Amino acid sequence: MREKKELSYLDSVHRDGKIWSFTLLALIFLFPLLLCVIFQAVPNWSALGKGLIATVPMYWAVGLIEVITYVPMLGAGGTYLSFVTGNISNLKLPVALDAMEKAEVKSNSEEGEIISTIAIATSSIVTTIIVIIGVILIIPLTPILENPVLDPAFAQMLPALFGGLGVVFVSKNWKLAIAPIILMLILFVTIPALNAGTVGIMVPVGVVFTIIVARIMYKKGLL
Amino acid sequence: MTFDVNHPIIYIIVSIIIATVLAQSFYFLIRAYRRALAKGMDKSVLKKTIISSAVFTIAPAISILVGVLSLSKSLGVAVPWLRLSVIGSLSYEMIAANNAMSGFGETLGKEVTDPGIFVTILWVMTIGILLGLILTPLLTKKIQNGMIKLEKSDAKWREIFNNAMFLGMISAFLGFVFCDVYRLWSSENGIFTTIEKNDQGIEEVVQYTSTSGLVPVLVMIVSALIMVLCGVLMKKLKWKWLNDYALPISMVLGMASAIPITAWLGGVIA
């Protein structure tokens, strides 16, 4: 009986998630179309073509990789929310990980699904509201936020985030963490092409490598 | 209608879309919360999850706001507001906008006044990142079912598998922190010279100090040490409340430490 009930919650999340995703997909796609109609503007087809050729191959490949990599980590509700509001690796996933860690729930349980959804939904709401407030107060806020003194702080957000998060996860699984950290250090230090723009591509590399290492260590009884 | 990047009608449409985004978040939040209560999960755990997720989000959200400001100079406020509230990121939107502009043989710098150019940029930004949102409703359930099958085999392996996924992700970002360390040995007379695209998509020569690549490394170490300190304080002084704020505290103090560290080790040389 209980098993059946749990399935139905997850199934309803998938059903509603699909409806929301398609609705927002339509709205996001309609936006440029509406502006074309309202301002009677036609895109410049050759510039549009060139722009798309330069953008789509890279970012659609990243999109495919992201869906496959992040869905298992975000859970169902978290996925439907995160792929609408974005900022997955630098905000939504760390928020969900931290919340599941503190609530002491496993990401593959229904409790994990619930906590991850609550964390990501809260984070999306707070982000959206802060940006709304910022847009309303844009004139008084501009000189503060664009103060060059603060530039280095915003530039170093990712190292500051993953320093703290790294301590939590590495200390709990240090045996398993050694190999992937060494691999990534070597790759990022020796290959100059790996930088902020390409770190997203290295995430699935790190994930697959760590799973393989984990499997070997598990089979050998090292974990 | 006469076009203007800050035309009220653009704000109205953007507000409607963002209201829908908010509605989706509230919908899933309430659904999950109710389900948690029905399952008998502890209310205080749920409350803590909400509070600490909200606190954690403040600093990253402000940095997203900074992104809206920097794009607003060419595209007005409404479009960056929408684009950075939905899928994408500042770096993506910059690249997409510049790719569209280069089709006109121009660069993104001053305010766009031609509606044709404006909608062209907007189409490139929109379509360029749409795949994730198209694929999630189609693939999420399939991927999850695949995971469930994979996990059914062995309970212990299931837990290790999950930890391995998260560690793999974290290790990629820890590696990324070291991505500019090579400037130390690729510099001449303490100056590292490279060619980069600026905000307008124009390639230009940029010079960094050779030690600039160590800035993110030190920031990460500061943040990690503060996290360790939080852990010690929680254990020794029984400050349990600190648990909810340890991550945002270490992140914000890490970011703050970037200001003196950058002043010390240098960054871009003008």
Side-chain angles (χ1 to χ4, degrees):
Chain A
M1 188 61 207
R2 194 160 163 257
E3 191 73 14
K4 205 179 169 190
K5 216 177 172 187
E6 279 177 18
L7 270 177
S8 78
Y9 172 71
L10 203 57
D11 282 342
S12 70
V13 168
H14 283 302
R15 184 200 59 209
D16 300 346
K18 276 180 195 170
I19 297 171
W20 280 104
S21 293
F22 283 125
T23 307
L24 282 157
L25 181 64
L27 281 177
I28 288 167
F29 196 77
L30 270 177
F31 177 62
L33 202 64
L34 266 175
L35 293 198
C36 284
V37 175
I38 291 169
F39 296 111
Q40 296 180 339
V42 181
N44 179 311
W45 300 111
S46 108
L48 178 63
K50 281 181 195 159
L52 287 178
I53 288 168
T55 314
V56 167
M58 160 96 179
Y59 285 94
W60 280 44
V62 170
L64 176 67
I65 293 170
E66 281 192 337
V67 171
I68 295 169
T69 315
Y70 291 136
V71 167
M73 298 194 228
L74 291 163
T79 296
Y80 293 116
L81 288 169
S82 300
F83 278 89
V84 168
T85 53
N87 291 297
I88 299 174
S89 58
N90 60 354
L91 177 56
K92 304 295 155 50
L93 193 51
V95 159
L97 281 182
D98 188 48
M100 289 189 285
E101 182 70 30
K102 281 180 202 146
E104 293 171 356
V105 294
K106 302 260 176 282
S107 67
N108 50 20
S109 64
E110 204 194 19
E111 285 80 0
E113 164 75 34
I114 288 168
I115 293 292
S116 157
T117 304
I118 291 177
I120 291 172
T122 306
S123 177
S124 295
I125 292 167
V126 171
T127 308
T128 311
I129 290 174
I130 287 181
V131 176
I132 291 174
I133 296 170
V135 166
I136 293 169
L137 299 178
I138 197 155
I139 292 166
L141 279 181
T142 303
I144 304 169
L145 292 175
E146 296 204 324
N147 189 328
V149 172
L150 291 177
D151 275 354
F154 288 119
Q156 302 302 335
M157 199 180 81
L158 277 180
L161 166 55
F162 281 93
L165 197 65
V167 166
V168 177
F169 276 85
V170 173
S171 65
K172 288 205 169 150
N173 310 280
W174 64 271
K175 274 196 239 165
L176 182 54
I178 296 170
I181 289 178
I182 290 175
L183 173 78
M184 286 297 157
L185 272 182
I186 293 171
L187 290 177
F188 274 93
V189 170
T190 54
I191 306 172
L194 293 179
N195 53 40
T198 43
V199 63
I201 299 164
M202 295 312 286
V203 172
V205 175
V207 170
V208 171
F209 176 78
T210 315
I211 291 171
I212 293 169
V213 170
R215 188 72 193 168
I216 295 168
M217 290 174 80
Y218 177 60
K219 285 278 175 199
K220 293 198 168 174
L222 293 167
L223 289 174
Chain B
M1 235 179 276
T2 321
F3 171 75
D4 172 33
V5 287
N6 282 314
H7 198 290
I9 191 87
I10 310 180
Y11 281 92
I12 293 169
I13 304 170
V14 167
S15 306
I16 294 169
I17 302 175
I18 287 175
T20 317
V21 172
L22 263 181
Q24 184 202 20
S25 301
F26 274 110
Y27 179 85
F28 277 103
L29 177 63
I30 294 166
R31 284 284 310 270
Y33 194 87
R34 282 194 186 147
R35 177 69 189 154
L37 293 184
K39 276 182 77 78
M41 287 172 76
D42 192 346
K43 235 182 192 173
S44 69
V45 170
L46 304 179
K47 206 176 140 193
K48 274 185 189 166
T49 301
I50 292 174
I51 293 172
S52 66
S53 305
V55 173
F56 180 92
T57 304
I58 295 171
I62 292 173
S63 92
I64 292 169
L65 187 58
V66 173
V68 175
L69 286 183
S70 61
L71 275 176
S72 69
K73 289 174 186 86
S74 38
L75 300 174
V77 176
V79 163
W81 177 29
L82 172 69
R83 292 302 322 164
L84 292 173
S85 295
V86 298
I87 35 166
S89 60
L90 178 62
S91 58
Y92 162 75
E93 309 293 351
M94 286 269 191
I95 290 166
N98 279 313
N99 285 344
M101 287 307 278
S102 64
F104 293 100
E106 284 188 52
T107 58
L108 204 63
K110 51 190 187 304
E111 190 174 287
V112 176
T113 49
D114 180 78
I117 295 180
F118 189 73
V119 294
T120 306
I121 294 173
L122 200 51
W123 276 116
V124 174
M125 283 175 152
T126 306
I127 297 173
I129 197 96
L130 218 51
L131 188 72
L133 192 51
I134 297 172
L135 289 181
T136 40
L138 301 175
L139 293 183
T140 303
K141 198 173 176 182
K142 289 198 180 84
I143 294 173
Q144 280 216 320
N145 287 344
M147 290 291 296
I148 292 167
K149 259 186 214 155
L150 186 87
E151 288 169 347
K152 266 186 183 153
S153 47
D154 174 349
K156 193 178 178 208
W157 167 242
R158 181 166 77 178
E159 196 183 329
I160 295 171
F161 184 92
N162 270 286
N163 288 336
M165 273 194 312
F166 297 137
L167 277 176
M169 193 269 286
I170 290 170
S171 66
F173 280 94
L174 292 181
F176 153 73
V177 169
F178 291 80
C179 74
D180 290 327
V181 168
Y182 75 97
R183 285 175 187 165
L184 276 178
W185 53 86
S186 305
S187 297
E188 268 179 60
N189 303 321
I191 295 170
F192 175 79
T193 310
T194 185
I195 294 168
E196 280 181 7
K197 279 191 179 177
N198 65 12
D199 286 354
Q200 280 93 49
I202 306 165
E203 287 193 342
E204 55 179 23
V205 175
V206 187
Q207 292 187 318
Y208 294 93
T209 59
S210 60
T211 48
S212 58
L214 294 174
V215 173
V217 178
L218 288 186
V219 170
M220 180 195 72
I221 292 171
V222 169
S223 161
L225 287 177
I226 291 166
M227 181 54 104
V228 171
L229 184 69
C230 286
V232 172
L233 289 176
M234 273 187 285
K235 272 199 184 137
K236 298 266 172 201
L237 301 175
K238 305 253 182 300
W239 285 2
K240 279 201 172 157
W241 56 271
L242 197 58
N243 192 29
D244 295 339
Y245 306 103
L247 195 56
I249 289 172
S250 63
M251 176 169 66
V252 169
L253 291 182
M255 285 169 73
S257 77
I259 297 170
I261 291 173
T262 308
W264 173 41
L265 293 173
V268 181
I269 302 167

